[in-house]
Amino acid sequence: MTELELLIDFHKNAERQGPGSTADTLRALSFIDLEQSRPLKVADIGCGSGAQTITLAQNSEGHITAVDLFPEFLDRLKQKSASQDLQDKITTLEASMDNLPFGPEEYDIIWSEGAIYNIGFEAGIKKWKDFLKPGGYLALSEITWITNSRPREIEEHWNTEYPEIGTASGKIRILEKNGFSPVGYFYLPQSSWIDTYYKPMEERFEDFLIRHGNSEAAMRIVDAEKDEIRKYRKYKDYFSYGFYVAKKLPEE
Ligand SMILES: C[S@@+](CC[C@H](N)C(=O)[O-])C[C@H]1O[C@@H](n2cnc3c(N)ncnc32)[C@H](O)[C@@H]1O
């Protein structure tokens, strides 16, 4: 198995592939004020195995196109949606978020939890904007500094990993600059990192290593995740995922 295949294998059976929770998805959804007299068209981009897709399907009147690059995650989502009788509300689509086969103004809502960083926050907003109807909503979670200054180790770590990391005011400015009116912001509580993401992940380490015969590549993946968890526990007061909900303004 390549390192990428191992990484997919490590994450595919998890409930979620990034920090978040049902409560966070519902909180973000509560900022969206759309007439539901007709079924809404929703795209969930970088859906992973679809924890938030299922929540959206259960709590909105509409159809969700759930997009991810990796079919292994989409297969898990298909199993989950079938087992909850939600298969008519969710269509999966294997595609890259930087080359989506969507038409202009096709969607009412574009949702993306913990995934837009793959192409960058601003690049993603610019690319996806055309697919939204005027008055439609973007709901994005994105790694965010939650204080104005922070210790050097964590600053350097994130500036290397994802130089686009910034404060909420900077992210909101990007949304405004690109024709959106922000309607809601909050950041994920620590429980959405630890209880719903890292603790279940820690419980998978042993089984994953055994399944892969304690190979060096498997150990590298576990060590990298452990290091990420250590950094989160040490510096959790300085960063989180910010959740941004913004309405697309009509073109001037
Ligand atoms: C951190 S995970 C978040 C998954 C899910 N939204 C969640 O919160 O549990 C990021 C997701 O983006 C997907 N991804 C990475 N690059 C992608 C791309 N170019 N196009 C579509 N999806 C991509 C990954 O496969 C992964 O499922």
Side-chain angles (χ1 to χ4, degrees), residues 2 5 33 62 65 81 91 113 121 126 142 200 202 206 220:
T2 64
E5 285 165 342
D33 178 19
T65 302
S81 58
T91 303
E113 293 196 25
F121 188 76
K126 284 183 192 293
E142 158 86 342
E202 285 170 326
E206 198 181 332
R220 265 199 305 279

Side-chain angles (χ1 to χ4, degrees), residues 16-18 46-48 52 68-70 73 95-97 113-115 118:
R16 49 188 340 118
Q17 285 70 39
C47 62
Q52 72 289 315
D68 205 276
L69 194 54
F70 299 112
F73 294 142
S96 182
M97 60 175 75
E113 293 196 25
N118 285 293

